[in-house]
Amino acid sequence: MVGLAGELRLSDNAVFLSFHANSGRYGMESMSTVGAGFVAGLLEAVSRAGISRSALLGRAGLTQGALDNPGARLAVADVIALFDAAVTLSGRGDIGLEFARHVRPDTFHVLGYALMTCKTLGEAIALVPHYRRLVFDIGYSEMRVTSHGQDVGLGWHVLQGAHAYSATLAEALIASWYVFGRWIAGAPLPLKEVVFTHRAPAQAAAYERFFECPVRFQAAQNALVFSRELLDMPLVQADETLHLAMREQARAAMEKAFNEQDIA
């Protein structure tokens, strides 16, 4: 459950949050989009691997000006093509982890700044569904939070009938949540395990080094699994005044991008 103040209240052994929006566009997978800030992180990752922006865009079949506008949004299919192209050009199956190493607030649009100014990690997770469309639009995937005893799972689920599943994109998202969570907490976030639905890559050991915990593949979900005690972890840049300002900016950005007037 999400409390009135935005905190998470857990029930044992139950799925307690499933984050997706309901609107007239739900189910229109072809209209699902991703914010340019998220894609910019991939451009930086491949640049560190010695691959040019033009080479990546060309390989993915996109025009060179596709990301010239910082406020641009790309179709999910184009983002998947970019991640696939990054793997092909770099020869690195773990490019999603490299993407995640350098995530910062602007990777997640203004939502990132709203998250970092929350009081606790649990409050930040509870805020995501209100503004998540700034990063990933509806119709392709959703974030799910589950509780099993003292463990919490923060997962990413591709909706049935949506675009093809991308293992690299799944790894990039799960890894970026982990890295950004550590960054806003200013402390390690010990995980119980990390799970992915796809097959194990050839360099599976690199994933356990990255997450510093067991990593299991061909599981039922893509998720970070951790102790519920971490939800109470205070965030180092918590600031109520700035947080409210960032939420207002997020609201305005949502209205501009999606012309919605009923944002919580």
Side-chain angles (χ1 to χ4, degrees):
M1 297 170 61
V2 182
L4 294 178
E7 78 277 9
L8 295 177
R9 295 200 298 269
L10 312 188
S11 299
D12 288 341
N13 303 314
V15 175
F16 63 93
L17 284 178
S18 182
F19 295 159
H20 60 78
N22 293 315
S23 81
R25 291 176 61 193
Y26 184 74
M28 300 294 289
E29 295 88 357
S30 62
M31 299 176 68
S32 299
T33 59
V34 179
F38 187 84
V39 180
L42 179 62
L43 297 178
E44 294 172 5
V46 298
S47 177
R48 291 191 294 271
I51 299 164
S52 70
R53 169 193 177 108
S54 60
L56 180 68
L57 291 172
R59 179 77 185 192
L62 302 180
T63 64
Q64 296 302 311
L67 293 171
D68 286 349
N69 180 0
R73 299 191 65 83
L74 272 68
V76 167
D78 290 338
V79 174
I80 292 174
L82 282 167
F83 273 89
D84 288 345
V87 172
T88 300
L89 293 174
S90 68
R92 291 189 55 175
D94 65 343
I95 196 69
L97 303 186
E98 180 60 28
F99 163 89
R101 291 183 198 279
H102 300 274
V103 295
R104 289 298 182 266
D106 58 357
T107 304
F108 307 106
H109 203 285
V110 69
L111 171 59
Y113 296 95
L115 295 176
M116 66 183 277
T117 53
C118 287
K119 294 178 182 178
T120 65
L121 189 62
E123 183 179 295
I125 292 173
L127 181 65
V128 172
H130 295 290
Y131 307 107
R132 58 152 291 191
R133 291 187 68 189
L134 290 172
V135 187
F136 265 76
D137 196 5
I138 60 176
Y140 175 61
S141 63
E142 63 186 21
M143 189 173 82
R144 293 179 174 177
V145 186
T146 57
S147 173
H148 301 282
Q150 295 302 309
D151 293 342
V152 172
L154 179 60
W156 182 70
H157 174 73
V158 174
L159 300 174
Q160 188 174 21
H163 293 290
Y165 174 83
S166 168
T168 307
L169 180 56
E171 293 169 4
L173 279 165
I174 294 295
S176 65
W177 292 351
Y178 171 61
V179 172
F180 190 60
R182 289 191 309 179
W183 191 78
I184 62 177
L189 293 179
L191 302 174
K192 297 289 187 69
E193 69 171 345
V194 175
V195 293
F196 292 105
T197 61
H198 50 271
R199 293 181 181 275
Q203 65 278 31
Y207 291 74
E208 297 200 343
R209 290 193 298 270
F210 181 91
F211 291 106
E212 300 182 318
C213 72
V215 178
R216 185 161 50 89
F217 294 89
Q218 292 183 283
Q221 62 177 334
N222 302 298
L224 303 172
V225 181
F226 52 90
S227 170
R228 69 167 64 197
E229 294 177 354
L230 291 185
L231 296 174
D232 295 324
M233 179 174 286
L235 303 187
V236 293
Q237 299 186 67
D239 184 317
E240 185 175 0
T241 300
L242 184 57
H243 176 69
L244 293 175
M246 292 300 98
R247 287 188 66 153
E248 185 56 36
Q249 286 194 28
R251 179 192 299 271
M254 287 276 284
E255 291 178 352
K256 181 178 180 180
F258 304 108
N259 194 29
E260 291 186 358
Q261 304 300 320
D262 58 344
I263 303 164

